[in-house]
Amino acid sequence: MNTQPNFYEQVYAVVRRIPQGKVSSYGRIANMLGRPRAARAVGYALNALSDKKDDPAYADIPWQRVVNSQGRISIVNREQSANHQAELLRAEGVAVSKKLRINLDIYLWEGLHWVEIDDIMKNANGAKP
DNA sequence: ACAGTGACAACAT
DNA sequence: TATGTTGCCACTG
């Protein structure tokens, strides 16, 4: 009852549900998946996408919609990637300040309800039925 | 099997 | 507000 082999897939499934123009945080996603302390692992999961970007199955994941709990783009020591993420978000209508900060009062995604989470847990696929 | 790592978060200065 | 520290988790050699 713990470590499900598909933790990454579950993360991806949730991220795919984040609507355009909204953002969520690593911690919130971890929370949705029933692992409130796994925020760091969520970031790790998204980081792993860079190795899968050639796989079309992972090409549609809006990773840019995930920021840290303060509403700031969290890839601090990767300036280029951070700016890239900011641009992607702006292109979606999300206001990102020069300091890479986003107003969560406006753009925070409410998240999924338990029924949808339950579905993801079963299929660890989420994307599509 | 085990230690190291990293797109986090909460708390302390 | 801006750093630094500590705890956490899943994944990797």
Side-chain angles (χ1 to χ4, degrees):
Chain A
M1 356 197 335
N2 21 34
T3 340
Q4 318 226 337
N6 311 323
F7 182 74
Y8 278 21
E9 292 303 323
Q10 293 178 5
V11 170
Y12 302 151
V14 173
V15 174
R16 282 191 179 100
R17 308 296 180 86
I18 305 176
Q20 182 173 35
K22 290 289 182 181
V23 300
S24 190
S25 72
Y26 305 94
R28 279 180 166 272
I29 291 172
N31 219 13
M32 285 181 224
L33 293 175
R35 295 190 164 12
R37 305 298 171 220
R40 222 171 171 184
V42 171
Y44 200 91
L46 295 184
N47 174 56
L49 285 175
S50 50
D51 297 326
K52 308 179 194 235
K53 62 181 180 177
D54 295 322
D55 189 334
Y58 301 94
D60 63 332
I61 301 175
W63 56 270
Q64 71 272 23
R65 294 172 194 162
V66 185
V67 298
N68 68 22
S69 62
Q70 305 169 49
R72 291 170 72 228
I73 288 178
S74 195
I75 26 196
V76 285
N77 34 340
R78 292 177 177 131
E79 217 172 304
Q80 280 192 318
S81 298
N83 288 322
H84 179 221
Q85 181 171 3
E87 286 183 37
L88 289 175
L89 287 173
R90 284 169 185 144
E92 297 185 343
V94 176
V96 184
S97 76
K98 257 185 188 173
K99 299 202 168 179
L100 304 183
R101 198 165 56 187
I102 295 163
N103 187 339
L104 294 182
D105 289 332
I106 298 176
Y107 300 105
L108 181 64
W109 176 46
E110 293 299 341
L112 298 172
H113 288 292
W114 72 269
V115 190
E116 302 169 285
I117 290 295
D118 191 54
D119 184 54
I120 288 175
M121 296 297 234
K122 289 183 194 168
N123 301 310
N125 198 325
K128 46 29 26 341

